[in-house]
Amino acid sequence: MPFPLPDSHALPGSRRVTRSVLKPVRVLGFWTAVALPFLHIPLLLTGLDGASDTFAFLALFVLNVLALLVGHPHGEA
């Protein structure tokens, strides 16, 4: 049964690859979290009359929270 390698034996460059993948994801999450609240405005101005409007509002809210969580570390070094 194979055992996982400790971090000192990680593949060369794997941390660099991880950072290069995470950075664009964090940038996208950050800017999505900035832009999504503007989509709430038309829904709130027209009212949440039907179930589809309420669902759309809640779905946008959940997406915004997820984008905040993903994009929060964007400005950190």
Side-chain angles (χ1 to χ4, degrees):
M1 176 154 113
F3 296 99
L5 294 174
D7 286 341
S8 63
H9 294 92
L11 296 174
S14 64
R15 288 186 180 175
R16 189 175 5 164
V17 170
T18 302
R19 281 189 221 135
S20 68
V21 170
L22 282 179
K23 184 173 178 159
V25 171
R26 288 179 176 159
V27 169
L28 181 66
F30 175 82
W31 287 109
T32 301
V34 169
L36 273 178
F38 291 104
L39 296 177
H40 286 92
I41 294 171
L43 285 171
L44 293 173
L45 289 176
T46 59
L48 301 176
D49 296 331
S52 62
D53 291 338
T54 304
F55 178 77
F57 179 81
L58 291 175
L60 284 172
F61 181 77
V62 169
L63 285 173
N64 198 4
V65 169
L66 290 174
L68 282 168
L69 291 173
V70 170
H72 182 263
H74 165 56
E76 297 174 1

